[in-house]
Amino acid sequence: MRWLQSKKVGFIGAGNMAQAIISALLSSETLKPEQILVTNRSSNKRHKLAEKFGIVPVENAEDVVDQCDVVILAMKPQDLFGAIEPIAMSFEKHHLVASLAAGITLNQLKSLMNQVTAFARIMPNTPVKINKGVVGICRTEEAGAYENLLEELFSPLGYLVPVEEGDGFQALTVACGSGTGFVFELMQYWQDWIEDYDFDPEVAREMTVQTFLG
């Protein structure tokens, strides 16, 4: 069953992670371009995104909330409260709100949009850009009714890991968020060591990539 078939998904914020998620949703045919709405403080950025993906640019965040069933908060954590407080009353009980903002808890989201009950925190890492990410997800009890929808929405990004909020969610963030950078750094040292033995840089790079890929 396609849980998202009749839904509209809105993004408030159009940064790199939002773009990676949009790309994955479209390439996997999870959503059609007309089902995705996006707004951003920079009108130039949202229109560029609309041109790139064929999605719907929206003038402001309040319009996204009014027109969408699922609202994804994709702004920086420090910008979330300033962006949402003025439009908090626009959210209704039927909305599913998914936040990408690191460090903003479910309780904080509930307090901000107190008429909504279904919240999820999503923690993707950068390999979602190639559909090979690890995506941590924790949710409120009320969002259990949307469990299949959440899985359909975020599983195209990679490996979806349900986890309780707290230490487990923090551990996933460190292991999988910071972990990709750690591995990349190790690969750079690996390539440098191979080059020290007079291998061509491109050959050394390919040797490194294939070793880690294997």
Side-chain angles (χ1 to χ4, degrees):
M1 183 175 180
R2 293 288 300 276
W3 297 90
L4 288 166
Q5 196 166 9
S6 60
K7 305 293 185 185
K8 287 191 176 181
V9 177
F11 287 79
I12 301 178
N16 291 334
M17 191 55 71
Q19 292 181 46
I21 293 172
I22 290 167
S23 178
L25 292 173
L26 293 174
S27 64
S28 64
E29 298 185 350
T30 301
L31 292 174
K32 297 175 182 176
E34 60 268 25
Q35 289 179 271
I36 301 175
L37 284 67
V38 65
T39 191
N40 193 72
R41 284 183 301 186
S42 164
S43 60
N44 186 45
K45 194 168 188 176
R46 68 173 177 260
H47 285 293
K48 277 187 176 178
L49 213 60
E51 288 174 15
K52 181 178 180 180
F53 294 114
I55 60 177
V56 183
V58 179
E59 185 77 20
N60 55 59
E62 190 170 10
D63 288 342
V64 168
V65 175
D66 288 343
Q67 296 178 48
C68 292
D69 308 282
V70 181
V71 178
I72 298 177
L73 308 181
M75 68 286 284
K76 294 176 181 176
Q78 62 268 29
D79 296 333
L80 188 146
F81 291 97
I84 299 303
E85 279 177 346
I87 62 163
M89 296 305 295
S90 299
F91 287 88
E92 297 180 12
K93 191 170 182 178
H94 74 270
H95 281 114
L96 170 62
V97 178
S99 170
L100 305 180
I104 308 295
T105 68
L106 293 173
N107 280 335
Q108 287 175 301
L109 294 170
K110 285 182 193 177
S111 296
L112 185 58
M113 295 159 274
N114 54 30
Q115 55 277 53
V116 179
T117 58
F119 291 95
R121 289 182 63 192
I122 310 297
M123 184 52 61
N125 62 0
T126 52
V128 300
K129 292 180 180 179
I130 55 168
N131 305 88
K132 296 294 183 183
V134 175
V135 184
I137 178 169
C138 64
R139 58 171 176 77
T140 57
E141 186 177 343
E142 294 84 354
Y146 297 92
E147 189 167 356
N148 291 321
L149 186 149
L150 284 166
E151 183 175 350
E152 186 179 339
L153 185 60
F154 292 107
S155 59
L157 308 180
Y159 181 51
L160 196 60
V161 185
V163 61
E164 292 292 323
E165 189 174 46
D167 290 344
F169 199 71
Q170 281 294 104
L172 181 142
T173 302
V174 173
C176 302
S178 304
T180 50
F182 176 79
V183 173
F184 184 71
E185 186 77 9
L186 179 59
M187 290 175 73
Q188 287 184 309
Y189 282 114
W190 209 278
Q191 178 178 333
D192 290 343
W193 184 83
I194 294 171
E195 288 182 35
D196 286 343
Y197 287 86
D198 297 326
F199 283 91
D200 179 82
E202 281 303 309
V203 173
R205 180 184 183 280
E206 192 61 29
M207 289 168 66
T208 301
V209 169
Q210 289 298 321
T211 298
F212 278 79
L213 187 61

